Amino acid sequence: MRNMRSLCVLCVLLSTVQGEDPRIDIFTRPGSDVLLPLRYNVSTEKDKCDVFIWVWNNTRSSSPISKSAGCKMKRYNFTTFTNYNTSMDGHLTLTAVTRNNSGIYTVTVYNVGDKNVGDKNGGGIRIFQENYTLQVQEPVSEPLLNVSCLLDGGANIVCRTDVGDDPRFSIMVNGRFWLENSTSSRTVGDANEVSVPAASTGPWDITCSVRNRVSESETNKAEVICPVPPSDLVLEDLCLHNGSLQVSCSAENGTDLLFSLSVNNTLLQESRKEEKRVNVTLSSPGPWGVKCSARNHLGEKSKNQSYPACPVPPSDPVLGISCYNSSLQISCSVEKGTDPIFSLSVNGILLLENVTNEQKRVNITSSSPGPWHVYCSVRNHLGGKNKSVTHLTCPVPLSAPIINATCQNDGTARVVCEVESASNATYTWSVNGKHFNLSHAPNLTINASEFASGAINVSCSAENSVSKENSSTNEIFCDAPVSDPVLNASCLSNGSAAITCWVLGGTNPKFHLTVNGDVIPFPSTCTSCSWFNYTISASGPWNISCSVENTIRKSMSNIPSHSCPVYSEPSCLSCLQKSLIGGAVALIVTTSPLLIAYFYIGQNTKKE
């Protein structure tokens, strides 16, 4: 109450204008006490009392409230409100004001001596008058702030107060006033509200304040965002140095966008991006057909774009070197590279310069004598690569091969396929119709057992990168070495001995038999026999030696100091019986070597 009185007195002091009847506006809220002072010192001396009167009026009526005359107070039958009191010094006090107390309060002071002063139609001299306009206002309630999102991503911002007289609204968005000290634009019952549109996209920091002459309140909302449909998409591309394509798909506006990006009808990426952008790098060879789409619950946008293959720098060149008729055939190629330009030199001499080829390859033949130092460079506007190689010689055509065979002591045959010039030659053999590829080996060994059936037909061929030549077919045969001789001496009844010498293997064996140093001649009727028989008639002992040889080998066997007993002839045996027994023994001794040799040869034949 004291604060309110002080405020009102201050207002009066500031509002007084010399020479005019001042009008002072006073605003207060219901339930407050209000002091309306009389800012004139009235006289209270007897017979000199000043007269003052308080009158209340509004737009509908006007009524006196109280009056002082002759230093006595008078109250009128005023029923509009009764919560007032007037002091003798002229101050009017209103307690617990309501809206009914609103109106214009006029206090007038008249001079003394006029008994009719203060009546409605009375006279007197007015010496002071002052007007107070009192407005009792309901305080504003805390404002309600509501943001309604629009389909285009904008919003309608509404600020409302449910209680309060004559509210004034201000709306601030992101630090700027969009509405300031504005009256209500819409009334719903006792509520008042204002609204402003937000065409730009959020986020928004919004403050709504509402006030009247007796109160003020505000409310805030921070980082307000309205969902926005996707805007038109922007496709950007960049060819990288390695020939890959970098594609970026973006939308300037759009809330919670789901991006999908497909290349050549294959979905590569589908994701939500806060930065409203999706990036991919395409390393597969072009051309590429790119489709990008972005969508949310408010809409969808898509865009298609075709991109040709990106230019790529040349890859490392590949030098191909081959020989043909003593010349050098050269090729230089690259696996990758857009519009490659070739240059090629041999031994420092430029043979090709700035040559282009759609197949990314150039070819040239150098007939100059080797060695050759080959240099190839490839370039385009993105870069360049080069490679060099040194090639010493090229093979020459082969001569016709000649078969040369040598029989070894062990009965094997060493066969050589001889050519006059055998540069990088490979060899193929044919032995009795069977073929063998021995790569770079020009010789062949034939085992002795292969000759058991007779001579062998052998041919060879030699081949290099220039030519291929075949030899004639040669018939090759090597003697088999003789085995150690088997020497046997069988005693006869008359004290003589039957001597047999034979071999188990060997081609064309030749026998030499000696008895006590005497050479026994080999029968001329058997030049390739594998055994030799001889009967000694003289009495022993005998030193017997048998040697066998052929072109491959020689061997010998001995029987030293061999003798046979002499038996007496029984009287009961006739001469005929002696002859029969002697003939039988000689037959056995004679045929045994033949049977043994036949058996051995038969066994060897089965093995071969």
Side-chain angles (χ1 to χ4, degrees):
M1 183 69 180
R2 183 175 304 161
N3 290 339
M4 181 58 69
R5 288 178 181 176
S6 299
L7 175 63
C8 292
V9 172
L10 180 62
C11 291
V12 170
L13 292 175
L14 292 177
S15 302
T16 302
V17 179
Q18 190 67 27
E20 296 182 0
D21 292 336
R23 178 175 175 176
I24 301 172
D25 293 330
I26 298 175
F27 299 86
T28 190
R29 62 182 63 193
S32 300
D33 295 338
V34 178
L35 171 64
L36 302 180
L38 172 58
R39 297 188 301 153
Y40 182 84
N41 292 324
V42 295
S43 175
T44 57
E45 293 181 9
K46 189 176 181 180
D47 298 331
K48 294 183 180 181
C49 291
D50 292 328
V51 177
F52 64 84
I53 184 170
W54 283 94
V55 178
W56 172 86
N57 66 78
N58 59 15
T59 57
R60 296 185 299 275
S61 62
S62 176
S63 300
I65 301 175
S66 61
K67 175 184 176 183
S68 172
C71 294
K72 293 182 180 179
M73 291 298 302
K74 177 183 178 181
R75 291 176 63 96
Y76 291 94
N77 188 21
F78 182 68
T79 59
T80 303
F81 52 82
T82 60
N83 56 337
Y84 67 93
N85 180 49
T86 307
S87 65
M88 288 302 297
D89 55 5
H91 302 315
L92 177 63
T93 301
L94 304 175
T95 59
V97 295
T98 65
R99 288 181 177 177
N100 291 334
N101 293 116
S102 297
I104 299 173
Y105 293 80
T106 303
V107 58
T108 307
V109 180
Y110 297 91
N111 62 348
V112 295
D114 190 345
K115 63 179 180 180
N116 295 320
V117 110
D119 292 335
K120 188 174 182 181
N121 297 317
I125 300 173
R126 188 184 72 177
I127 58 176
F128 178 82
Q129 187 176 54
E130 195 166 46
N131 297 310
Y132 292 95
T133 300
L134 176 64
Q135 295 186 36
V136 180
Q137 290 185 339
E138 189 72 27
V140 295
S141 61
E142 182 179 359
L144 301 176
L145 180 59
N146 183 53
V147 180
S148 300
C149 292
L150 306 178
L151 290 178
D152 61 357
N156 188 40
I157 302 173
V158 178
C159 184
R160 169 176 171 168
T161 180
D162 292 329
V163 178
D165 295 325
D166 191 23
R168 299 299 177 101
F169 294 87
S170 294
I171 296 179
M172 179 180 287
V173 179
N174 294 338
R176 291 176 53 251
F177 279 109
W178 286 17
L179 190 70
E180 187 174 11
N181 202 27
S182 175
T183 58
S184 172
S185 60
R186 184 168 179 262
T187 302
V188 181
D190 292 334
N192 293 274
E193 66 180 34
V194 292
S195 64
V196 292
S200 62
T201 58
W204 304 291
D205 291 331
I206 305 173
T207 299
C208 174
S209 62
V210 59
R211 65 183 180 85
N212 58 13
R213 293 300 184 97
V214 297
S215 63
E216 183 175 2
S217 183
E218 71 175 31
T219 188
N220 303 281
K221 285 190 176 181
E223 297 292 327
V224 179
I225 298 177
C226 280
V228 180
S231 59
D232 290 335
L233 301 180
V234 177
L235 275 174
E236 298 173 288
D237 63 278
L238 175 64
C239 281
L240 304 182
H241 192 70
N242 61 359
S244 300
L245 180 68
Q246 192 176 72
V247 178
S248 172
C249 180
S250 62
E252 183 178 357
N253 296 315
T255 304
D256 196 23
L257 296 180
L258 176 63
F259 282 89
S260 299
L261 197 144
S262 301
V263 177
N264 295 338
N265 298 319
T266 300
L267 181 64
L268 295 186
Q269 192 173 124
E270 186 171 53
S271 60
R272 298 188 185 275
K273 298 291 183 179
E274 292 183 3
E275 63 272 21
K276 300 181 181 66
R277 178 183 296 271
V278 61
N279 300 299
V280 295
T281 299
L282 309 177
S283 56
S284 60
W288 303 278
V290 178
K291 178 181 180 181
C292 180
S293 65
R295 67 181 184 273
N296 60 13
H297 68 283
L298 297 176
E300 180 175 3
K301 293 285 186 177
S302 64
K303 190 168 185 178
N304 299 293
Q305 184 71 46
S306 296
Y307 298 98
C310 285
V312 296
S315 57
D316 290 330
V318 177
L319 272 174
I321 305 294
S322 62
C323 293
Y324 181 75
N325 290 336
S326 302
S327 298
L328 193 67
Q329 290 186 330
I330 307 168
S331 69
C332 183
S333 63
V334 290
E335 183 181 357
K336 297 178 181 178
T338 303
D339 299 329
I341 302 172
F342 292 86
S343 294
L344 191 144
S345 64
V346 177
N347 295 335
I349 300 174
L350 190 62
L351 301 182
L352 295 176
E353 184 177 14
N354 297 335
V355 176
T356 60
N357 189 287
E358 291 183 357
Q359 284 74 38
K360 301 182 176 66
R361 172 188 293 270
V362 292
N363 301 286
I364 196 171
T365 300
S366 175
S367 58
S368 62
W372 300 273
H373 179 71
V374 182
Y375 177 85
C376 178
S377 65
V378 188
R379 61 183 173 82
N380 62 10
H381 69 283
L382 295 176
K385 293 291 181 74
N386 61 75
K387 189 172 185 180
S388 62
V389 67
T390 299
H391 194 78
L392 297 178
T393 60
C394 276
V396 298
L398 300 172
S399 61
I402 299 174
I403 295 291
N404 189 355
T406 304
C407 292
Q408 307 297 310
N409 289 337
D410 59 356
T412 62
R414 184 177 184 274
V415 186
V416 180
C417 186
E418 296 181 346
V419 291
E420 292 182 4
S421 177
S423 176
N424 297 321
T426 58
Y427 298 88
T428 302
W429 293 88
S430 175
V431 179
N432 281 345
K434 296 181 180 179
H435 296 280
F436 305 93
N437 187 353
L438 299 182
S439 187
H440 295 284
N443 49 60
L444 175 70
T445 298
I446 301 176
N447 293 330
S449 61
E450 298 290 337
F451 299 107
S453 300
I456 296 175
N457 292 321
V458 178
S459 65
C460 72
S461 64
E463 181 180 5
N464 64 9
S465 60
V466 180
S467 64
K468 180 179 181 181
E469 300 291 339
N470 299 315
S471 74
S472 60
T473 301
N474 288 31
E475 189 177 77
I476 299 173
F477 180 80
C478 285
D479 290 340
V482 293
S483 62
D484 292 333
V486 179
L487 181 60
N488 183 59
S490 301
C491 292
L492 302 178
S493 61
N494 60 1
S496 60
I499 300 171
T500 305
C501 183
W502 74 90
V503 291
L504 298 178
T507 305
N508 297 324
K510 293 181 179 181
F511 292 87
H512 298 278
L513 181 65
T514 61
V515 178
N516 294 332
D518 297 328
V519 177
I520 307 301
F522 191 76
S524 59
T525 57
C526 186
T527 58
S528 59
C529 295
S530 60
W531 54 272
F532 178 38
N533 289 331
Y534 181 73
T535 302
I536 304 174
S537 59
S539 60
W542 309 284
N543 290 316
I544 305 170
S545 175
C546 179
S547 66
V548 184
E549 64 178 314
N550 62 5
T551 58
I552 306 300
R553 186 173 184 266
K554 181 179 180 179
S555 185
M556 178 182 292
S557 292
N558 298 294
I559 300 178
S561 301
H562 184 73
S563 61
C564 288
V566 178
Y567 299 98
S568 61
E569 297 180 0
S571 58
C572 60
L573 294 177
S574 65
C575 294
L576 178 61
Q577 289 174 328
K578 294 177 183 179
S579 300
L580 290 174
I581 293 171
V585 171
L587 179 62
I588 293 171
V589 171
T590 303
T591 57
S592 294
L594 294 175
L595 292 173
I596 293 171
Y598 177 77
F599 175 77
Y600 175 78
I601 294 172
Q603 289 295 103
N604 284 345
T605 303
K606 290 179 181 179
K607 290 179 181 179
E608 293 173 355

PDB file of all heavy atoms in Angstrom, residues 349-367:
ATOM      1  N   ILE A 349      67.727 -44.991 -81.138  1.00  0.00           N
ATOM      2  CA  ILE A 349      67.171 -44.467 -82.389  1.00  0.00           C
ATOM      3  C   ILE A 349      65.653 -44.480 -82.274  1.00  0.00           C
ATOM      4  O   ILE A 349      65.041 -45.535 -82.026  1.00  0.00           O
ATOM      5  CB  ILE A 349      67.630 -45.305 -83.595  1.00  0.00           C
ATOM      6  CG1 ILE A 349      69.152 -45.273 -83.696  1.00  0.00           C
ATOM      7  CG2 ILE A 349      66.992 -44.792 -84.882  1.00  0.00           C
ATOM      8  CD1 ILE A 349      69.711 -46.185 -84.771  1.00  0.00           C
ATOM      9  N   LEU A 350      65.019 -43.323 -82.425  1.00  0.00           N
ATOM     10  CA  LEU A 350      63.573 -43.201 -82.283  1.00  0.00           C
ATOM     11  C   LEU A 350      62.893 -43.787 -83.514  1.00  0.00           C
ATOM     12  O   LEU A 350      63.062 -43.296 -84.629  1.00  0.00           O
ATOM     13  CB  LEU A 350      63.181 -41.729 -82.110  1.00  0.00           C
ATOM     14  CG  LEU A 350      61.736 -41.440 -81.719  1.00  0.00           C
ATOM     15  CD1 LEU A 350      61.415 -42.054 -80.362  1.00  0.00           C
ATOM     16  CD2 LEU A 350      61.487 -39.943 -81.700  1.00  0.00           C
ATOM     17  N   LEU A 351      62.150 -44.878 -83.319  1.00  0.00           N
ATOM     18  CA  LEU A 351      61.462 -45.540 -84.426  1.00  0.00           C
ATOM     19  C   LEU A 351      59.991 -45.152 -84.497  1.00  0.00           C
ATOM     20  O   LEU A 351      59.406 -45.131 -85.575  1.00  0.00           O
ATOM     21  CB  LEU A 351      61.588 -47.063 -84.278  1.00  0.00           C
ATOM     22  CG  LEU A 351      63.010 -47.625 -84.241  1.00  0.00           C
ATOM     23  CD1 LEU A 351      62.965 -49.143 -84.146  1.00  0.00           C
ATOM     24  CD2 LEU A 351      63.804 -47.181 -85.480  1.00  0.00           C
ATOM     25  N   LEU A 352      59.360 -44.882 -83.363  1.00  0.00           N
ATOM     26  CA  LEU A 352      57.965 -44.437 -83.318  1.00  0.00           C
ATOM     27  C   LEU A 352      57.898 -43.216 -82.409  1.00  0.00           C
ATOM     28  O   LEU A 352      58.508 -43.192 -81.330  1.00  0.00           O
ATOM     29  CB  LEU A 352      57.042 -45.525 -82.774  1.00  0.00           C
ATOM     30  CG  LEU A 352      56.893 -46.811 -83.592  1.00  0.00           C
ATOM     31  CD1 LEU A 352      56.021 -47.816 -82.848  1.00  0.00           C
ATOM     32  CD2 LEU A 352      56.288 -46.514 -84.960  1.00  0.00           C
ATOM     33  N   GLU A 353      57.130 -42.191 -82.817  1.00  0.00           N
ATOM     34  CA  GLU A 353      57.014 -40.985 -82.013  1.00  0.00           C
ATOM     35  C   GLU A 353      55.579 -40.478 -82.038  1.00  0.00           C
ATOM     36  O   GLU A 353      54.993 -40.297 -83.117  1.00  0.00           O
ATOM     37  CB  GLU A 353      57.961 -39.900 -82.525  1.00  0.00           C
ATOM     38  CG  GLU A 353      57.959 -38.633 -81.656  1.00  0.00           C
ATOM     39  CD  GLU A 353      58.951 -37.598 -82.134  1.00  0.00           C
ATOM     40  OE1 GLU A 353      59.446 -37.730 -83.272  1.00  0.00           O
ATOM     41  OE2 GLU A 353      59.240 -36.661 -81.377  1.00  0.00           O
ATOM     42  N   ASN A 354      55.007 -40.289 -80.837  1.00  0.00           N
ATOM     43  CA  ASN A 354      53.666 -39.713 -80.670  1.00  0.00           C
ATOM     44  C   ASN A 354      52.634 -40.456 -81.518  1.00  0.00           C
ATOM     45  O   ASN A 354      51.882 -39.880 -82.298  1.00  0.00           O
ATOM     46  CB  ASN A 354      53.666 -38.227 -81.027  1.00  0.00           C
ATOM     47  CG  ASN A 354      54.558 -37.422 -80.118  1.00  0.00           C
ATOM     48  OD1 ASN A 354      54.825 -37.817 -78.984  1.00  0.00           O
ATOM     49  ND2 ASN A 354      55.047 -36.293 -80.611  1.00  0.00           N
ATOM     50  N   VAL A 355      52.604 -41.762 -81.332  1.00  0.00           N
ATOM     51  CA  VAL A 355      51.677 -42.618 -82.073  1.00  0.00           C
ATOM     52  C   VAL A 355      50.514 -42.979 -81.149  1.00  0.00           C
ATOM     53  O   VAL A 355      50.724 -43.369 -79.990  1.00  0.00           O
ATOM     54  CB  VAL A 355      52.382 -43.896 -82.571  1.00  0.00           C
ATOM     55  CG1 VAL A 355      51.383 -44.827 -83.258  1.00  0.00           C
ATOM     56  CG2 VAL A 355      53.502 -43.529 -83.535  1.00  0.00           C
ATOM     57  N   THR A 356      49.291 -42.834 -81.649  1.00  0.00           N
ATOM     58  CA  THR A 356      48.095 -43.230 -80.895  1.00  0.00           C
ATOM     59  C   THR A 356      47.489 -44.466 -81.525  1.00  0.00           C
ATOM     60  O   THR A 356      47.619 -44.698 -82.734  1.00  0.00           O
ATOM     61  CB  THR A 356      47.056 -42.105 -80.865  1.00  0.00           C
ATOM     62  OG1 THR A 356      46.675 -41.787 -82.212  1.00  0.00           O
ATOM     63  CG2 THR A 356      47.630 -40.863 -80.191  1.00  0.00           C
ATOM     64  N   ASN A 357      46.817 -45.254 -80.687  1.00  0.00           N
ATOM     65  CA  ASN A 357      46.211 -46.489 -81.167  1.00  0.00           C
ATOM     66  C   ASN A 357      45.054 -46.834 -80.249  1.00  0.00           C
ATOM     67  O   ASN A 357      45.199 -46.837 -79.022  1.00  0.00           O
ATOM     68  CB  ASN A 357      47.248 -47.617 -81.188  1.00  0.00           C
ATOM     69  CG  ASN A 357      46.725 -48.865 -81.877  1.00  0.00           C
ATOM     70  OD1 ASN A 357      45.893 -49.568 -81.331  1.00  0.00           O
ATOM     71  ND2 ASN A 357      47.232 -49.127 -83.070  1.00  0.00           N
ATOM     72  N   GLU A 358      43.893 -47.138 -80.836  1.00  0.00           N
ATOM     73  CA  GLU A 358      42.710 -47.444 -80.026  1.00  0.00           C
ATOM     74  C   GLU A 358      42.899 -48.728 -79.229  1.00  0.00           C
ATOM     75  O   GLU A 358      42.310 -48.890 -78.166  1.00  0.00           O
ATOM     76  CB  GLU A 358      41.476 -47.580 -80.922  1.00  0.00           C
ATOM     77  CG  GLU A 358      41.033 -46.275 -81.553  1.00  0.00           C
ATOM     78  CD  GLU A 358      39.768 -46.448 -82.368  1.00  0.00           C
ATOM     79  OE1 GLU A 358      39.288 -47.600 -82.462  1.00  0.00           O
ATOM     80  OE2 GLU A 358      39.269 -45.445 -82.900  1.00  0.00           O
ATOM     81  N   GLN A 359      43.733 -49.646 -79.765  1.00  0.00           N
ATOM     82  CA  GLN A 359      43.963 -50.909 -79.056  1.00  0.00           C
ATOM     83  C   GLN A 359      45.004 -50.767 -77.946  1.00  0.00           C
ATOM     84  O   GLN A 359      45.380 -51.752 -77.310  1.00  0.00           O
ATOM     85  CB  GLN A 359      44.442 -51.996 -80.031  1.00  0.00           C
ATOM     86  CG  GLN A 359      43.331 -52.576 -80.902  1.00  0.00           C
ATOM     87  CD  GLN A 359      42.904 -51.609 -81.992  1.00  0.00           C
ATOM     88  OE1 GLN A 359      43.738 -50.906 -82.566  1.00  0.00           O
ATOM     89  NE2 GLN A 359      41.613 -51.574 -82.281  1.00  0.00           N
ATOM     90  N   LYS A 360      45.513 -49.562 -77.742  1.00  0.00           N
ATOM     91  CA  LYS A 360      46.513 -49.299 -76.700  1.00  0.00           C
ATOM     92  C   LYS A 360      47.756 -50.162 -76.902  1.00  0.00           C
ATOM     93  O   LYS A 360      48.372 -50.659 -75.954  1.00  0.00           O
ATOM     94  CB  LYS A 360      45.934 -49.532 -75.296  1.00  0.00           C
ATOM     95  CG  LYS A 360      44.730 -48.670 -74.950  1.00  0.00           C
ATOM     96  CD  LYS A 360      44.260 -48.953 -73.529  1.00  0.00           C
ATOM     97  CE  LYS A 360      43.123 -48.034 -73.114  1.00  0.00           C
ATOM     98  NZ  LYS A 360      41.915 -48.282 -73.881  1.00  0.00           N
ATOM     99  N   ARG A 361      48.180 -50.324 -78.189  1.00  0.00           N
ATOM    100  CA  ARG A 361      49.325 -51.172 -78.502  1.00  0.00           C
ATOM    101  C   ARG A 361      49.984 -50.681 -79.787  1.00  0.00           C
ATOM    102  O   ARG A 361      49.294 -50.261 -80.725  1.00  0.00           O
ATOM    103  CB  ARG A 361      48.892 -52.626 -78.678  1.00  0.00           C
ATOM    104  CG  ARG A 361      49.981 -53.565 -79.191  1.00  0.00           C
ATOM    105  CD  ARG A 361      49.404 -54.923 -79.527  1.00  0.00           C
ATOM    106  NE  ARG A 361      48.950 -55.594 -78.326  1.00  0.00           N
ATOM    107  CZ  ARG A 361      49.702 -56.390 -77.582  1.00  0.00           C
ATOM    108  NH1 ARG A 361      50.964 -56.615 -77.945  1.00  0.00           N
ATOM    109  NH2 ARG A 361      49.236 -56.978 -76.517  1.00  0.00           N
ATOM    110  N   VAL A 362      51.325 -50.732 -79.835  1.00  0.00           N
ATOM    111  CA  VAL A 362      52.069 -50.468 -81.067  1.00  0.00           C
ATOM    112  C   VAL A 362      53.022 -51.634 -81.291  1.00  0.00           C
ATOM    113  O   VAL A 362      53.470 -52.291 -80.342  1.00  0.00           O
ATOM    114  CB  VAL A 362      52.837 -49.132 -80.991  1.00  0.00           C
ATOM    115  CG1 VAL A 362      51.891 -47.960 -80.965  1.00  0.00           C
ATOM    116  CG2 VAL A 362      53.777 -49.092 -79.787  1.00  0.00           C
ATOM    117  N   ASN A 363      53.351 -51.904 -82.578  1.00  0.00           N
ATOM    118  CA  ASN A 363      54.230 -53.000 -82.959  1.00  0.00           C
ATOM    119  C   ASN A 363      55.265 -52.499 -83.953  1.00  0.00           C
ATOM    120  O   ASN A 363      54.970 -51.636 -84.796  1.00  0.00           O
ATOM    121  CB  ASN A 363      53.432 -54.159 -83.584  1.00  0.00           C
ATOM    122  CG  ASN A 363      52.387 -54.710 -82.646  1.00  0.00           C
ATOM    123  OD1 ASN A 363      52.698 -55.395 -81.690  1.00  0.00           O
ATOM    124  ND2 ASN A 363      51.120 -54.408 -82.938  1.00  0.00           N
ATOM    125  N   ILE A 364      56.465 -53.069 -83.868  1.00  0.00           N
ATOM    126  CA  ILE A 364      57.531 -52.706 -84.794  1.00  0.00           C
ATOM    127  C   ILE A 364      58.535 -53.863 -84.846  1.00  0.00           C
ATOM    128  O   ILE A 364      58.654 -54.645 -83.889  1.00  0.00           O
ATOM    129  CB  ILE A 364      58.215 -51.390 -84.378  1.00  0.00           C
ATOM    130  CG1 ILE A 364      59.035 -50.842 -85.537  1.00  0.00           C
ATOM    131  CG2 ILE A 364      59.051 -51.589 -83.133  1.00  0.00           C
ATOM    132  CD1 ILE A 364      59.554 -49.439 -85.290  1.00  0.00           C
ATOM    133  N   THR A 365      59.245 -53.992 -86.018  1.00  0.00           N
ATOM    134  CA  THR A 365      60.269 -55.016 -86.188  1.00  0.00           C
ATOM    135  C   THR A 365      61.609 -54.335 -86.432  1.00  0.00           C
ATOM    136  O   THR A 365      61.721 -53.441 -87.277  1.00  0.00           O
ATOM    137  CB  THR A 365      59.931 -55.946 -87.362  1.00  0.00           C
ATOM    138  OG1 THR A 365      58.678 -56.591 -87.101  1.00  0.00           O
ATOM    139  CG2 THR A 365      61.008 -57.006 -87.546  1.00  0.00           C
ATOM    140  N   SER A 366      62.633 -54.764 -85.680  1.00  0.00           N
ATOM    141  CA  SER A 366      63.982 -54.224 -85.845  1.00  0.00           C
ATOM    142  C   SER A 366      64.868 -55.308 -86.462  1.00  0.00           C
ATOM    143  O   SER A 366      65.039 -56.390 -85.886  1.00  0.00           O
ATOM    144  CB  SER A 366      64.547 -53.772 -84.493  1.00  0.00           C
ATOM    145  OG  SER A 366      65.887 -53.365 -84.633  1.00  0.00           O
ATOM    146  N   SER A 367      65.434 -55.012 -87.632  1.00  0.00           N
ATOM    147  CA  SER A 367      66.320 -55.961 -88.308  1.00  0.00           C
ATOM    148  C   SER A 367      67.783 -55.681 -88.032  1.00  0.00           C
ATOM    149  O   SER A 367      68.654 -56.381 -88.563  1.00  0.00           O
ATOM    150  CB  SER A 367      66.053 -55.930 -89.813  1.00  0.00           C
ATOM    151  OG  SER A 367      66.241 -54.609 -90.321  1.00  0.00           O
TER     152      SER A 367
END
